[in-house]
Amino acid sequence: MSDDGAPDARAELDRLLDDFSRGILPSIGFVRSVKQLRDAHPGLIAPRPSLGVAVVAGFGHHTSGRDLMSLLLEIEGFTVRNTQVGEMDSDVIGMCMQPDVTVLCLSAQATEGVNGIADIIRELDETEARGRIVFNAGGSPLSETTARSLGCDVYAQSAVESARAIKAEVESRHSAANP
C-alpha cells in the first residue's frame, strides 16, 4: 500500500458502490460517504480525458437524480457538466454541441419529464452530435421499453449499472472509431 492509502481508498469506494447497488446503503449515505472519501483522498476520483464530458440534466426542480448520476459518472472517469434548475431544452442542446461531449444523461422524476426527454433527443437526432453522444435516461417513470422508444443508447435498472454501461458504450465507440 502506498503512503496515501489509495489502494485502501479504492477498495472502500468499490465497497460503497456495491452496497449502494444492492440497496444496503441509502442514496444520501452513499453520496455523503463518497464525498468524504474523495475529500480525504484527492485524485481518487479523477477525470479520464479520453472519456470526454457527460452532460447531466434533470427536469423541473428534480436535482437528486441529476446529482447522483453526476457523481457516478465522475467515479467512472467522466468530466461532468450539470444543467441548472430552470435551464431550457435549448440550453441542454447547446451544451451537447460542444465537441468534447460524449454523453447526455437525462433524469426524470415524474411522467412529465419523459416528454422533455423525448423533445431533447428528437432535437439532437437532427444534429451532427447524435453520432458521438451516448444517450441515457433514467428515473422512476422510465422502463427499458420507454427508454428504448425514446432513442436511448443505454438503459439499466440501477444508477450504478447505468453509469458503467455508459462508460462501456463510450469506450466501445472510441475503440470502433480508432481501431
Side-chain angles (χ1 to χ4, degrees):
M1 180 176 91
S2 64
D3 292 335
D4 67 359
D8 288 342
R10 184 66 219 186
E12 177 64 11
L13 181 59
D14 290 341
R15 185 192 64 75
L16 290 169
L17 284 162
D18 186 51
D19 287 353
F20 177 65
S21 241
R22 294 186 335 198
I24 295 170
L25 182 62
S27 180
I28 194 148
F30 170 73
V31 170
R32 183 179 30 225
S33 295
V34 169
K35 286 181 178 183
Q36 288 172 345
L37 192 60
R38 179 176 57 194
D39 290 346
H41 300 278
L44 175 66
I45 299 172
R48 287 182 38 209
S50 64
L51 291 174
V53 173
V55 172
V56 185
F59 290 91
H61 292 296
H62 176 57
T63 58
S64 58
R66 177 201 68 189
D67 295 346
L68 176 61
M69 282 306 297
S70 294
L71 179 61
L72 291 169
L73 289 167
E74 286 175 2
I75 290 169
E76 291 299 324
F78 289 92
T79 298
V80 174
R81 294 183 191 142
N82 286 331
T83 62
Q84 300 303 311
V85 171
E87 283 193 283
M88 307 291 286
D89 291 358
S90 59
D91 297 320
V92 174
I93 292 164
M95 292 172 80
C96 291
M97 293 297 100
Q98 300 301 312
D100 57 346
V101 174
T102 57
V103 174
L104 174 59
C105 186
L106 304 168
S107 180
Q109 184 176 28
T111 308
E112 304 88 55
V114 174
N115 294 331
I117 291 169
D119 291 343
I120 289 172
I121 291 176
R122 189 172 29 259
E123 285 188 52
L124 280 171
D125 278 346
E126 298 172 8
T127 71
E128 49 71 37
R130 179 60 179 114
R132 71 176 152 74
I133 293 179
V134 173
F135 292 113
N136 169 261
S140 59
L142 280 130
S143 65
E144 182 171 9
T145 301
T146 303
R148 296 287 179 210
S149 73
L150 291 170
C152 293
D153 300 307
V154 173
Y155 175 84
Q157 287 290 327
S158 78
V160 172
E161 291 173 44
S162 286
R164 289 175 176 160
I166 290 166
K167 179 181 178 182
E169 181 65 20
V170 168
E171 289 176 330
S172 172
R173 288 184 184 189
H174 183 72
S175 292
N178 302 303

